């Protein structure tokens, strides 16, 4: 059994902050008062114990001095004070929700709540002991979010404990696109303390309201994919910003007509099938091996505004483009993970509840919505049926994120900050040129090695 982290909450913690201040004030005042008496008596060379006015004056000075010292401690030693305050909040949650039993003025039951925190998160572990409060212990996430002004990032049941993980998620955790480094071969840093592993959590759905920051976030992902040396294919049916990348990435990699996008879907399926066949026939093929073990690069197909693309397809008999596209997408989404073939779908139309098939959404490991909260139908389209309050978003690039396998809950999200003077195209050109230089150097070295 895993040992529970943190300090156990006790009933006396309900006033721990007040009691600490009171005891500190008493101790400091008494210490200063006695010191003042000793100094005064040494100066005047006589006892002042009988001088009531003098004692009152010294006591007043000691109280004022102690209050100033405590105030300064609270200002400059915030972390321990905040920790005690959080313990007190949790004790009050227990009290105000009636999670204890008192018989004949005697406490007969007090639940096992444990609190732990570090620089990144706080965890609250509650023992599931079968009491009459059992079900209530399982539904405290919203109260904890409001009490601690934090976002629930995970909730698990382990070893008879329900463990809530909360995090202070605000723009202080936001990254700047100009200084985000790649920490691992296939990991993309999305916020401080939040990474996305494209190998383990493939396929994505990215939705964003107008001016919500979807395009900037998508360009950030493309930049990171290219830095990872992925094979990147981009489909932009609306011929917007992404379509201009064909000038630097090539017309074979960036497409925008309906026929070209359908062809990219066919090619993605062919690449997936080819890899599976090669892996199966490989001498080194073993159960559980994936594209990484066989040296394949991730194959990324991005379809921007895919709902608009799907709506443009023919459904007439003999030329059912819609059916072909749906079948191709289904194959890649359901089967592409081990082969490293992935799709990233984006749309502004999060209000179209049937835009994403349920069988697709359940396999889209990364789901992001940026901008103001859409309708309930739109939220179901992105995240499925969820029990969460979605507040209004006003800051560009802010919204919510869910990474399957990393967390069991949807959490608040701030995409990397993009300054208005930042040039995506220039950055991508630099990445591609650096990649080409490395490949040219590799060819030269290989030829020299063969010559030797």
């Amino acid at each position: 059994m895993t040992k529970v982290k943190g300090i156990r909450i006790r009933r006396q913690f309900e006033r721990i902050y007040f009691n600490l201040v009171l005891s500190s004030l008493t101790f400091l005042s008494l210490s200063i008062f006695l010191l003042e008496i000793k100094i005064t008596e040494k100066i005047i060379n006589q006892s002042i114990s009988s001088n009531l006015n003098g004692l009152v004056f010294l006591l007043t000075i000691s109280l004022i001095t102690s209050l100033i010292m405590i105030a300064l401690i609270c200002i400059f030693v915030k972390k321990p004070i905040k920790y005690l305050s959080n313990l007190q909040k949790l004790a009050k949650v227990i009290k105000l929700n009636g999670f204890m039993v008192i018989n004949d003025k005697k406490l007969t039951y007090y639940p096992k709540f444990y609190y732990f925190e570090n620089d990144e998160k706080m965890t609250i572990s509650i023992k599931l002991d079968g009491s009459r409060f059992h079900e209530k212990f399982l539904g405290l996430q919203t109260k904890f979010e409001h009490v601690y002004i934090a976002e629930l990032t995970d909730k698990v049941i382990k070893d008879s404990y329900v463990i809530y993980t909360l995090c202070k998620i605000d723009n202080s955790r936001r990254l700047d696109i100009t200084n985000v480094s790649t920490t691992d071969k296939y990991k993309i840093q999305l916020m401080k303390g939040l990474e996305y592993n494209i190998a383990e959590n493939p396929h994505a759905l990215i939705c964003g309201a107008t001016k919500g920051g979807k395009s900037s976030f998508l360009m950030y992902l493309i930049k990171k994919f290219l830095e990872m040396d992925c094979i990147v294919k981009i489909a932009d049916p609306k011929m917007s910003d992404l379509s201009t990348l064909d000038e630097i990435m090539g017309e074979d990699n960036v497409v925008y007509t309906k026929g070209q996008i359908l062809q990219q879907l066919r090619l993605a399926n062919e690449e997936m099938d080819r890899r599976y066949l090669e892996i199966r026939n490989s001498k080194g093929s073993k159960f559980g091996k994936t594209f990484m073990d066989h040296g394949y690069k991730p194959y990324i197909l991005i379809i921007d505004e895919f709902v608009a693309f799907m709506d443009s397809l023919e459904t007439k008999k003999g030329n059912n483009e819609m059916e072909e596209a749906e079948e191709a997408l289904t194959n890649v989404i359901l089967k592409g993970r081990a082969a490293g073939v992935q799709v990233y779908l984006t749309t502004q139309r999060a209000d179209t509840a049937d835009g994403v098939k349920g069988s697709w959404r359940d396999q889209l490991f990364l789901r992001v919505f940026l901008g103001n909260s859409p309708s309930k139908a739109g939220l179901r389209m992105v995240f499925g049926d969820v029990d969460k309050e979605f507040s209004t978003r006003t800051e560009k690039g802010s919204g919510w994120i869910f990474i399957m396998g990393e967390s069991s809950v949807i959490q608040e999200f701030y995409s990397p900050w993009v300054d208005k003077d930042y040039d995506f195209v220039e950055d991508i050109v630099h990445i591609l040129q650096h990649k080409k230089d490395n490949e040219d150097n590799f060819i030269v070295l290989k030829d020299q090695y063969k010559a030797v």
Side-chain angles (χ1 to χ4, degrees), residues 308-352:
F309 163 66
M310 297 297 284
D311 287 347
S312 72
L313 299 177
E314 297 284 351
T315 58
K316 60 185 179 182
K317 188 176 181 180
N319 184 29
N320 197 325
E321 296 172 332
M322 174 75 76
E323 185 176 305
E324 180 187 359
E326 287 183 349
E327 182 179 351
L329 275 170
T330 299
N331 283 339
V332 174
I333 291 172
L334 298 183
K335 296 165 50 181
R337 180 180 183 182
V341 180
Q342 308 178 12
V343 292
Y344 287 72
L345 308 176
T346 85
T347 181
Q348 289 185 357
R349 293 174 55 184
D351 58 329
T352 308

Side-chain angles (χ1 to χ4, degrees), residues 221-349:
L221 291 180
I222 293 172
K223 164 183 159 71
K224 303 309 290 185
F225 292 150
L226 293 174
E227 287 179 348
M228 293 176 178
D229 199 22
C230 299
I231 299 169
V232 181
K233 307 290 183 178
I234 299 173
D236 184 0
K238 286 194 171 183
M239 297 182 65
S240 54
D241 294 339
L242 293 182
S243 66
T244 61
L245 294 176
D246 62 350
E247 298 179 4
I248 57 175
M249 293 180 63
E251 294 181 356
D252 292 337
N253 297 319
V254 181
V255 300
Y256 43 84
T257 69
K258 181 171 64 174
Q260 290 173 327
I261 297 172
L262 285 170
Q263 177 63 10
Q264 286 295 338
L265 283 168
R266 296 186 198 106
L267 291 174
N269 274 266
E270 290 173 7
E271 177 67 14
M272 178 182 67
D273 292 339
R274 181 186 68 82
R275 290 185 178 190
Y276 274 126
L277 184 60
E278 290 182 358
I279 290 173
R280 181 176 180 180
N281 295 332
S282 171
K283 291 182 180 180
S285 178
K286 293 182 180 180
F287 184 80
K289 296 286 186 179
T290 66
F291 72 97
M292 295 180 290
D293 302 297
H294 292 272
Y296 294 113
K297 297 178 181 179
Y299 186 104
I300 309 292
L301 173 59
I302 299 167
I303 305 179
D304 193 23
E305 296 299 340
F306 86 99
V307 172
F309 163 66
M310 297 297 284
D311 287 347
S312 72
L313 299 177
E314 297 284 351
T315 58
K316 60 185 179 182
K317 188 176 181 180
N319 184 29
N320 197 325
E321 296 172 332
M322 174 75 76
E323 185 176 305
E324 180 187 359
E326 287 183 349
E327 182 179 351
L329 275 170
T330 299
N331 283 339
V332 174
I333 291 172
L334 298 183
K335 296 165 50 181
R337 180 180 183 182
V341 180
Q342 308 178 12
V343 292
Y344 287 72
L345 308 176
T346 85
T347 181
Q348 289 185 357
R349 293 174 55 184

